């Protein structure tokens, strides 16, 4: 069994120069940890007494678990693997365990597994718990090794059996190891430490950054024995020294031990580098007390530490690249409880850095340089992302134009009209103008009287963002309101309508109501607010219930025009999703929700407008309320104007996905052109930190590129692998990065994170466990900077996103990074159907609509019903077409016939697409314009049965037309050609043989084609 001779930590004056364990050597062994747990102490028996086969041993395990006496210990002979059943534990405290046991194989080594556990729960979401202590010793053996008739414990303590020796601590892997940070100080060691610094409210310890601080409720033994680097109120802390590299983001790790409870902890850092005669000021910072948020805005945060607890502090020191061969001096001051501790540090800077550092890399991830990425502002700007065009502002007409859409404002700054020139096929933006609204948005404040509106002031921030501001005045009640609107080039329009009462007395309002009148002909489809996608409902009565429903938005529209409206205020935070909604649900808007009022909600009604035209009236209202003096409420909403961009059927057929492991040559032989690498694979074993295996990915990607294939990898931020060295430092940010939760779950976070987390996906094949993130946090900065580095180092072509925990702002930055690094970046989103109780009944396409402008393909997904849903559901919920992209199917491989009339297939190798790919190639469909059945009058051909839909590709010799049936029984249909394609009515029609899809058949011109229910056929009309 492998036992590395790792006895002490690498010497460093920035760390306590103490052994990894005060009494034991430390190493790593090999065993089945699902049987025995992650930790053991190796015991040596040198003497076995004649006639009394027993030995005693003391295990200085220094444990952090709450009740050591309640956890089982399993003893196994190292020589034979035999379990020792005759074991009696006579004492078990956090500090030590005392045992008497039978050395069944005589002298030699025995393994004491002292934290065995069982994994219950679901396979990918396990719940681990330690095995309870249970007696196994035979009474006859017990009698043979004791001589006292007194109590059980006394009998063993007085037995004077030969003492075995505890040699070393071993972990099942380096990742599982407690060494050195999770061995606890004894009561005596703590007493000595406190006595040496009596009255000090806190102490500061320095620790090597490769030994991440883990325990927060106990003090590590190496600290208590080695002593602090600085003590509150004590002067003369010794200068710490260390080494650094020019150009690196050097990280100092400090541990703040709160002897007393501490509030308002302040950390300041002053740093200066010296290179020759030049002095260079260095902007060092503590990420625990300040940073830059996901939108690029600097912030500071409060830090409090409870009595007896440990708070890790991480200091980022950006070493100037021009300071090679010099020194960097910094002073870290930590203040709290009316006093402070100061730590002077000198870093000796190497003449040159490792090769990876000057190129923008981070070297060994255990050096934690990536923590600096938490404050990255990469790709935060107002520049354009392809294919979007610069916003065109016509200020006198109050009209803003973007790719295929226009937004016209009323005099009050709210929308007056939304227009679209997307073609009926959604393949271009040069179609006839279509309008969405039957009238302007209006905000009614009942009981406030009339409003007057000031001028609208526009501000152009860049080609991709324009904002405006309009001030409202209400003389009758002394109220004011400000509309702050903003439109981005992708079609996101946000409106903050801040209703304020600047006076001293309250103002009673009967209601605050936003009315949105839509043209019925423009909104035949809908999705959201508790309804699935498909044909729009005739009426809707909806109320807020954020505890159980992830609902605050509704999409209304058609294939080539529409808008999602989401109702939000200043308290909005993106909730968790995909199994975790209830851990962090929506926050009900104070404005629209009116503190849970039963009179707040949203309705939709069909009405008749001027001239008898149909109108769909959407109204959001908060009900009666009192607007107190000095109070301000944001009746905000956000619009997403759809489609975001034209669909690209040629790209859909050109980029043929293969989503699995395999050699490049084998995958290329299938006809695939894009490889998706999932996590829990040899190339990317650990979820959402593929940089840990960048070299392997780079080698594979280079081989794929040589074969003409693209490569994408799984990488998002919904959870983070516990194998990431940055996880424990991020956990020290106290709920900023990781979602607060009940803890437990897999055994690793229980033993290394402790509490206040949500255990996430577990991949048993690679022993990877992850922690749920908080979503909208600085983790987005870390992720986006890491993505840039990942693509730089590997040459990857894009991302596979398996559900998303970040918003459109992060998604926009992701696209910019990829666009900068890749010639034609590719992003696809996969989602299981989110319309269920666990996820708050929000359709996936509605949930992720804000990310779709920057996405190339959808893969929806588990639990979608492809056989028992109508074409409108397919169009809205599955296809992606009304939003400017196309998709693939997953559940059960999908329905290939119905999918094809939306340009969709299942994804290889879950389904064998090779016959269809060969057919596409043989008929040049990747170069043929596609006209989908949703294009209405623009379609070249339709069938005689409205339940059998037809989508066509226009080839040089005629058409390739896919038919799919939603009829309940077999139907015979004929083809009905549009006037400009009438000549094809006399053309030959054939159904080519496509293995697994259809057999060959020929049809006379005008002959009926039989289509089976839930199936279809592909026809070649005219010359092949």
């Amino acid at each position: 069994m492998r036992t590395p001779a790792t006895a002490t930590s690498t010497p460093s004056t920035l760390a306590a120069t103490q052994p990894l364990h005060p009494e034991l050597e430390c190493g790593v062994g090999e065993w089945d940890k699902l049987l025995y747990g992650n930790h053991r102490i190796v015991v040596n028996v040198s003497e076995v007494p004649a006639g009394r086969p027993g030995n005693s041993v003391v295990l200085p395990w220094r444990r952090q678990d709450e009740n050591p006496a309640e956890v089982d210990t399993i003893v196994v002979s190292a020589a034979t693997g035999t379990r020792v059943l005759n074991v009696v534990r006579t004492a078990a405290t956090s500090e030590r365990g005392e045992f008497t046991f039978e050395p069944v194989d005589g002298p030699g080594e025995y393994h004491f597994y002292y934290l065995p556990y069982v994994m219950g729960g679901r396979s990918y979401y396990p719940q681990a718990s330690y095995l309870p202590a249970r007696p196994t010793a035979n009474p006859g053996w017990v009698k043979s090794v004791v001589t006292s008739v007194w109590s059980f414990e006394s009998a063993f303590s007085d037995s004077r059996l030969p003492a075995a020796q505890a040699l070393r601590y071993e972990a099942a892997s380096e990742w599982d190891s407690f060494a050195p940070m999770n061995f606890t100080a004894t009561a005596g060691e703590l007493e000595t430490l406190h006595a040496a610094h009596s009255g000090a409210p806190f102490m500061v310890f320095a620790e090597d950054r490769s030994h991440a601080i883990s325990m927060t409720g106990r003090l590590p033994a190496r600290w208590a024995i080695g002593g602090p680097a600085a003590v509150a109120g004590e002067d003369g802390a010794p200068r710490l020294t260390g080494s650094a590299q020019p150009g690196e983001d050097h990280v100092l790790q400090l541990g703040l031990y709160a002897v007393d409870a501490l509030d308002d902890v302040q950390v300041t850092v002053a740093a200066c580098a010296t290179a020759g005669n030049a002095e260079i000021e260095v902007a060092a910072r503590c990420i625990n007390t300040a940073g830059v948020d996901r939108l690029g805005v600097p912030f500071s945060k409060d830090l409090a530490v409870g009595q007896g607890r440990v708070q890790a502090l991480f200091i980022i020191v950006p070493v100037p690249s021009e300071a090679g061969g010099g020194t960097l001096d910094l002073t870290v001051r930590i203040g709290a409880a009316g006093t402070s501790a100061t730590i002077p540090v000198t870093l000796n800077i190497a003449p040159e850095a490792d090769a990876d550092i000057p190129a923008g890399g981070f070297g060994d991830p255990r050096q934690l340089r990536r923590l600096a990425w938490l404050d990255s502002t990469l790709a935060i700007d107002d520049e354009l992302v392809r294919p979007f065009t610069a916003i065109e502002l016509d200020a006198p007409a109050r009209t803003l134009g973007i790719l295929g859409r226009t937004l016209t404002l009323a005099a009050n700054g709210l929308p007056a009209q939304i227009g679209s020139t997307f073609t009926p096929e959604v393949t271009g933006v040069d179609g006839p103008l279509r309008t969405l609204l039957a009238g302007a948005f209006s905000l009614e404040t009942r009981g406030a009287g009339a409003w007057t509106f000031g001028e609208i002031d526009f501000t152009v921030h860049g080609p991709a963002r324009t904002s405006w501001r309009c001030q409202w005045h209400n003389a009758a009640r002394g109220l004011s309101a400000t509309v702050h609107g903003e439109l981005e080039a992708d079609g996101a329009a946000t409106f903050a309508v801040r209703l304020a009462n600047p006076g001293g007395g309250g103002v009673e309002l009967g209601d605050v109501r936003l009315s949105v009148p839509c043209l019925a002909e423009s909104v035949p489809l809908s999705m959201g607010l508790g309804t699935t996608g498909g044909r729009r409902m005739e009426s809707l009565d909806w109320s807020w219930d954020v505890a159980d429903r992830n609902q605050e938005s509704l999409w209304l529209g058609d294939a080539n025009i529409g808008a999602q409206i989401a109702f939000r205020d200043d308290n909005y935070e993106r909730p968790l999703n995909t199994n975790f909604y209830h851990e962090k649900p929506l926050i009900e808007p104070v404005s629209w929700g009116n503190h849970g009022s039963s009179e707040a909600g949203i309705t939709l009604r069909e009405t008749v407008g001027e001239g008898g035209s149909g109108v769909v009236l959407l109204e959001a209202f908060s009900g009666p309320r009192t607007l107190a003096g000095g109070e301000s409420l944001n009746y905000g909403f956000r619009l997403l104007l759809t489609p975001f961009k034209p669909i690209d059927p040629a790209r859909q057929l050109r980029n043929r996905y293969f989503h699995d492991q395999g050699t490049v040559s084998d995958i290329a032989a299938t006809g695939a052109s894009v490889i998706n690498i999932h996590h829990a694979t040899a190339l990317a074993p650990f979820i959402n930190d593929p940089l840990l295996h960048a070299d392997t990915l780079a080698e594979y990607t280079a081989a794929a590129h040589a074969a003409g294939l693209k490569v994408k990898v799984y990488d998002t931020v919904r959870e983070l692998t516990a194998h990431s060295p940055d996880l424990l430092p991020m956990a020290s940010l106290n709920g900023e990065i990781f979602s607060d939760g009940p803890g437990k779950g897999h055994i690793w976070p229980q033993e290394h994170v402790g509490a206040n987390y949500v255990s996430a996906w577990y991949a048993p094949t690679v022993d990877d466990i992850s922690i749920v993130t908080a979503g909208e946090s600085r983790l987005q900065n870390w992720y986006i900077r890491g993505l840039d580095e990942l693509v730089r180092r590997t040459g990857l072509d894009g991302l596979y996103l398996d559900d998303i925990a970040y918003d459109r702002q992060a998604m926009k930055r992701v696209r910019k990074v990829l666009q900068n690094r890749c010639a034609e970046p590719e992003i696809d989103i996969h989602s299981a159907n989110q319309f269920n109780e666990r996820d708050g009944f929000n359709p996936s396409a509605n949930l992720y609509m804000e990310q779709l402008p920057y996405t190339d393909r959808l893969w929806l997904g588990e639990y979608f019903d492809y056989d028992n849903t109508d074409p409108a559901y397919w169009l809205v919920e599955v296809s992606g077409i009304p939003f400017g992209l196309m998709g693939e199917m997953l559940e059960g491989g999908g329905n290939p016939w119905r999918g094809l009339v939306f340009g969709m297939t299942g994804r290889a190798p879950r389904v064998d697409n090779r016959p269809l790919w060969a057919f596409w190639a043989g008929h040049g469909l990747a170069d043929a314009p596609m006209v989908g059945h949703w294009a209405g009058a623009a379609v070249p051909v339709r069938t005689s049965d409205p339940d059998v839909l037809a989508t066509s590709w226009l080839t040089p010799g005629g058409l390739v037309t896919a038919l799919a049936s939603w009829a309940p029984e077999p139907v015979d249909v004929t083809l009905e050609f549009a006037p400009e394609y009438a000549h094809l009515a006399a053309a030959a029609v054939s159904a080519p043989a496509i293995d697994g899809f259809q057999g060959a058949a020929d049809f006379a011109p005008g002959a009926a084609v039989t289509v089976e229910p839930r199936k279809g056929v592909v026809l070649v009309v005219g010359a092949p």
Side-chain angles (χ1 to χ4, degrees), residues 102 790 926:
E102 179 186 11
L790 178 68

Side-chain angles (χ1 to χ4, degrees), residues 118-424:
V118 62
M119 295 270 273
R122 293 184 289 165
S123 57
Y124 296 111
Y125 293 94
Q127 290 292 328
S129 57
Y130 290 126
L131 292 177
R134 49 197 171 189
T136 59
N138 184 288
W141 173 81
V142 173
K143 182 179 179 180
S144 72
V145 295
V146 300
T147 57
S148 172
V149 297
W150 294 102
S151 69
F152 190 75
E153 291 79 6
S154 298
F156 280 97
S157 63
D158 295 340
S159 63
R160 296 183 176 83
L161 293 171
Q165 181 184 5
L167 297 179
R168 63 186 174 271
Y169 159 85
E170 291 183 343
S173 70
E174 291 184 10
W175 179 58
D176 293 304
S177 181
F178 283 157
M181 301 307 298
N182 290 62
F183 298 127
T184 60
T186 66
E189 291 161 353
L190 289 174
E191 184 178 354
T192 299
L193 176 68
H194 291 160
H197 306 285
S198 179
F202 65 88
M203 307 176 197
V204 183
F205 296 84
E207 184 56 66
D208 190 289
R209 56 183 166 173
S210 63
H211 297 151
I213 296 170
S214 172
M215 295 188 297
T216 58
R218 306 287 292 272
L219 198 70
R222 65 199 262 112
W223 288 2
I225 296 170
V231 179
E234 295 184 10
D235 297 327
R239 178 171 293 274
L240 301 178
T241 60
S243 59
Q245 297 187 36
E248 74 160 324
D249 288 309
H250 190 85
V251 175
L252 299 178
Q253 180 182 218
L254 302 175
L256 173 61
Y257 173 46
V259 180
D260 300 330
L262 304 175
D263 294 319
D264 192 26
V265 176
Q266 301 291 320
V267 182
T268 57
V269 188
C272 182
T274 302
N277 296 323
E279 291 188 351
I280 307 167
E281 188 174 343
V282 175
R285 64 195 187 277
C286 176
I287 62 172
N288 300 85
T289 57
V292 177
D293 71 14
R294 63 186 182 86
L295 301 178
V297 179
F299 71 93
S300 60
K301 56 188 295 185
D302 296 332
L303 181 62
V305 187
Q307 184 178 22
R309 299 193 65 80
V310 173
Q311 171 66 54
L313 300 173
F314 293 91
I315 312 298
I316 308 297
V317 185
V319 182
S321 57
E322 63 271 30
T327 60
L328 194 154
D329 293 317
L330 64 153
T331 302
V332 181
R333 180 186 179 277
I334 301 172
T339 186
S340 65
T342 300
I343 306 167
V345 180
T346 294
L347 298 176
N348 297 308
I349 306 172
E352 295 182 355
D354 293 343
D356 189 45
I357 302 300
F362 56 91
D364 185 343
R366 293 171 298 182
Q367 297 301 303
L368 304 181
R369 297 182 180 102
R370 293 189 296 169
L371 290 179
W373 298 354
L374 288 168
D375 296 328
S376 172
T377 59
L378 179 65
I380 297 179
D381 56 47
D382 294 312
E383 298 303 313
L384 290 169
V385 177
R386 293 190 299 267
F388 302 114
T389 55
I391 299 172
E392 296 180 356
L393 171 63
D394 183 345
R398 301 192 298 267
T399 297
L400 302 97
I402 57 175
L403 179 69
R405 291 148 294 169
T406 56
L407 172 64
T408 300
L409 303 176
N412 59 8
L414 299 181
Q417 188 54 269
I418 295 167
S420 169
T421 58
F422 276 85
T423 62

